[in-house]
Amino acid sequence: MSRKKWDWSKVGLKTLDIYILKKFLGTYFFATLLILAVISMFDITEKLDAFLSAPLKETLFDYFASFLPYFANQLSPLFTFISVIFFTTKLADHSEIIAILSSGVSFNRLMRPYMIGAAVIASLTFVLSNYAIPPTNVKRIAYTNKYVKNRAVTTGIDIQMMAAPGTVVYIGRFENSNKMGYRFSMDKFNGKELVSRLTAQTVTYDSTRQYHWMLHDYMIRDFNGMTEKITKGNSKDTVIPIEPRDFLISRNDQETLTTPQLTTYIDKQKRRGVANIKEFEIEKEKRYASTAAAFILTLIGLSLSAKKVKGGMGINIGIGLVLSFSYILFSTVTSSFAVSGLTTPFIAMEIPNVVYLAIGLFLYYRARKF
């Protein structure tokens, strides 16, 4: 019994759409695999000593299982652009673009399957960057800290932050290795009036229970007008709404949080008056900006390569590489604007999209005329 062939016209796709979509997505995934293989070889060469010292299981499942999707997602704009340039130039060289347009298909109609393909890639990028990849980055970063170069922040000095409205916490020094803090104090205010002050020689964070701290050699001073009540003790189990990750911020910590977790973390740190959260805000905005990049670079890629030119594919691919790498570089440069405070993270991450969208619309306008 023969299998019934799916009728793509039921979802509004014509033969032309299916043909271009297969070319687009097939080239995209092939280019991704090919370039990832090259990147992996360079990475193995660079970190060979670490890979030889680490267990093979950890290298494969903790590092490369996260490293490959992470880089594929980071370089998705590059892969998208190269794919569009590559297969569209081939279509133009074989006069297929001319034949399509001569048959009565407008350039606007030709753009439709390209935008559908961009939507597929953008959706995949969105899900990966916002939800799927961050949890896997935890193991990858832990692996590099252990076997390559330890960039984890394990000690905090002179930590002061707002644990809750009207409650200020100070820790002279905190060691993450044993979850212990020294010279601890917590002041509670009613407006501008100090109503309670808790001090302890040491505090220990219970990592098995969120926000649970054990106070050692503590003293509590409660103020009520001109009277003062003092309570002392050797140890006390208490709940303080802070945890070590709120003040021990390591490089790339923002990459381990999903977007909902990033939003919660940023809001919480802002309420506490923590200043060094720019990287977290930039990471959040970058994830949304990279989703839009698929549409913008697809627009530029089609507009550049739809016309048959002398020199063939080489010139188009060369121009495509320059533009795609310049987009990635431009995004890196503008992110520094947010770090320095010149712009907000949202504006910094959207500047490249606005600039390259203008370039894309200009090229598209020119391409429609041929």
Side-chain angles (χ1 to χ4, degrees):
M1 184 177 178
S2 61
R3 298 174 62 182
K4 187 176 180 180
K5 192 174 181 180
W6 174 257
D7 185 6
W8 288 101
S9 62
K10 293 180 179 179
V11 291
L13 296 179
K14 306 298 183 182
T15 302
L16 173 63
D17 300 323
I18 300 302
Y19 177 71
I20 291 179
L21 273 173
K22 286 181 177 179
K23 293 279 187 180
F24 187 179
L25 298 179
T27 306
Y28 172 81
F29 289 113
F30 178 77
T32 300
L33 292 174
L34 185 64
I35 297 176
L36 283 182
V38 175
I39 292 174
S40 298
M41 292 305 298
F42 279 106
D43 195 57
I44 290 172
T45 303
E46 181 185 357
K47 300 184 177 73
L48 184 60
D49 292 340
F51 293 151
L52 291 176
S53 63
L56 180 61
K57 182 180 179 180
E58 289 186 33
T59 301
L60 293 177
F61 296 103
D62 291 350
Y63 182 75
F64 276 107
S66 171
F67 173 83
L68 294 177
Y70 171 78
F71 261 92
N73 198 61
Q74 290 289 309
L75 299 178
S76 181
L78 172 64
F79 301 146
T80 302
F81 205 19
I82 289 176
S83 302
V84 174
I85 291 284
F86 184 82
F87 87 86
T88 306
T89 300
K90 287 186 67 175
L91 293 179
D93 285 346
H94 296 158
S95 300
E96 292 182 68
I97 298 291
I98 294 176
I100 292 171
L101 296 177
S102 299
S103 66
V105 175
S106 67
F107 199 82
N108 289 341
R109 178 61 180 85
L110 177 63
M111 177 66 72
R112 178 182 171 185
Y114 282 85
M115 289 295 106
I116 294 174
V120 172
I121 295 172
S123 300
L124 180 62
T125 300
F126 181 84
V127 172
L128 288 175
S129 61
N130 288 276
Y131 300 99
I133 291 179
T136 67
N137 283 337
V138 175
K139 290 185 177 181
R140 177 178 61 84
I141 293 173
Y143 179 95
T144 55
N145 287 341
K146 183 177 181 180
Y147 297 107
V148 183
K149 185 177 181 180
N150 190 1
R151 294 176 175 174
V153 175
T154 58
T155 302
I157 304 294
D158 291 332
I159 301 159
Q160 185 170 355
M161 63 192 309
M162 186 178 293
T167 302
V168 179
V169 168
Y170 172 82
I171 304 175
R173 187 175 89 255
F174 185 86
E175 299 290 345
N176 198 45
S177 57
N178 55 7
K179 306 295 183 184
M180 183 169 287
Y182 304 87
R183 304 191 310 279
F184 175 85
S185 69
M186 182 170 68
D187 297 332
K188 292 185 178 181
F189 294 86
N190 183 10
K192 295 183 179 180
E193 180 184 359
L194 179 65
V195 296
S196 175
R197 179 175 175 82
L198 184 155
T199 59
Q201 292 296 314
T202 60
V203 291
T204 305
Y205 180 69
D206 186 354
S207 56
T208 63
R209 297 184 296 170
Q210 189 179 35
Y211 299 150
H212 277 259
W213 295 80
M214 180 64 71
L215 308 176
H216 306 282
D217 296 325
Y218 70 92
M219 179 174 67
I220 302 174
R221 300 170 64 190
D222 293 313
F223 305 100
N224 185 11
M226 299 299 293
T227 62
E228 176 183 353
K229 178 184 177 182
I230 298 178
T231 306
K232 295 183 179 181
N234 292 325
S235 63
K236 180 180 178 63
D237 187 2
T238 187
V239 175
I240 305 172
I242 60 173
E243 51 188 335
R245 73 171 186 172
D246 292 335
F247 49 81
L248 296 180
I249 301 175
S250 302
R251 182 178 178 183
N252 299 327
D253 275 357
Q254 68 276 9
E255 296 177 356
T256 65
L257 302 176
T258 64
T259 298
Q261 290 172 337
L262 265 178
T263 302
T264 301
Y265 182 84
I266 291 169
D267 292 342
K268 182 174 66 174
Q269 296 296 74
K270 282 183 176 179
R271 289 196 302 270
R272 290 174 172 171
V274 178
N276 56 341
I277 58 171
K278 285 292 184 184
E279 294 293 339
F280 292 84
E281 294 177 300
I282 291 171
E283 175 67 21
K284 178 184 175 182
E285 298 301 337
K286 182 169 69 174
R287 293 176 183 179
Y288 293 119
S290 64
T291 303
F295 296 98
I296 295 170
L297 295 179
T298 297
L299 175 67
I300 296 175
L302 172 60
S303 303
L304 272 177
S305 54
K307 186 177 180 180
K308 189 174 183 179
V309 296
K310 293 182 179 180
M313 189 180 300
I315 293 178
N316 283 337
I317 290 180
I319 296 173
L321 286 173
V322 170
L323 283 173
S324 54
F325 276 116
S326 66
Y327 176 86
I328 296 172
L329 178 62
F330 195 18
S331 299
T332 304
V333 171
T334 55
S335 67
S336 65
F337 297 165
V339 174
S340 62
L342 292 175
T343 66
T344 64
F346 172 78
I347 293 176
M349 290 296 97
E350 293 299 334
I351 287 175
N353 283 346
V354 172
V355 171
Y356 280 77
L357 177 60
I359 294 173
L361 292 174
F362 171 74
L363 294 174
Y364 177 71
Y365 177 76
R366 289 187 58 189
R368 289 178 58 188
K369 294 184 176 182
F370 86 90

